[in-house]
Amino acid sequence: GQQQKILITVNHNIPTAIIYDNPVSRSFLSQMPLTVDMADFARTEKIFDPPQSLSTGSTTGGLKPIAGEVALYAPWGNIAVFYRGGGSFSDRLIPVGHIVDGDIEAFNIYGDLNGVRFELARNRKQYTP
């Protein structure tokens, strides 16, 4: 399958992420566009609970978090965007995507981020493949 690009609007920044082709990612994409509030976790990631829980299907986990990774933390069912690396490998993190363009530092603020928007890039007029 092909990888889908999404835009993540964080305040005035709009990083682009590539979303992988797996059951969790497809479940996540099907809920877009989404506007969510993200909480800070461990000064490493911003997290939120998607409106509907994500279907893991047969997706296998396994990720060593690095800055820019988007992942599902299977036990809690939350989506995490890592703005810092350094964590250890976890088989409970399921890779969902990776920020490829734009400022990951937009997530690196103290505390919560409100009104973060996730949407398919192809829905934006200025997007050219």
Side-chain angles (χ1 to χ4, degrees):
Q2 66 173 35
Q3 293 180 329
Q4 173 69 53
K5 270 191 172 164
I6 66 164
L7 302 175
I8 308 171
T9 304
V10 187
N11 296 329
H12 300 293
N13 299 281
I14 310 182
T16 305
I18 294 285
I19 299 298
Y20 306 135
D21 189 19
N22 65 43
V24 169
S25 302
R26 286 192 290 273
S27 181
F28 183 37
L29 287 169
S30 74
Q31 297 186 38
M32 292 182 196
L34 271 181
T35 302
V36 299
D37 295 337
M38 301 187 76
D40 194 79
F41 188 77
R43 297 290 290 129
T44 305
E45 56 191 289
K46 292 284 193 271
I47 63 174
F48 73 93
D49 294 318
Q52 279 104 42
S53 45
L54 299 179
S55 153
T56 52
S58 58
T59 319
T60 49
L63 184 67
K64 180 173 170 47
I66 57 171
E69 284 291 341
V70 182
L72 170 75
Y73 185 62
W76 295 352
N78 64 298
I79 290 281
V81 176
F82 289 90
Y83 58 84
R84 234 181 237 168
S88 53
F89 179 88
S90 169
D91 58 9
R92 293 178 297 185
L93 282 170
I94 298 176
V96 169
H98 192 84
I99 292 172
V100 289
D101 188 36
D103 193 4
I104 187 67
E105 284 298 305
F107 289 94
N108 191 8
I109 64 162
Y110 183 76
D112 300 348
L113 275 174
N114 295 326
V116 180
R117 185 169 168 84
F118 291 78
E119 64 192 313
L120 301 178
R122 64 166 181 257
N123 292 346
R124 294 289 285 245
K125 297 289 183 282
Q126 73 270 33
Y127 174 69
T128 46

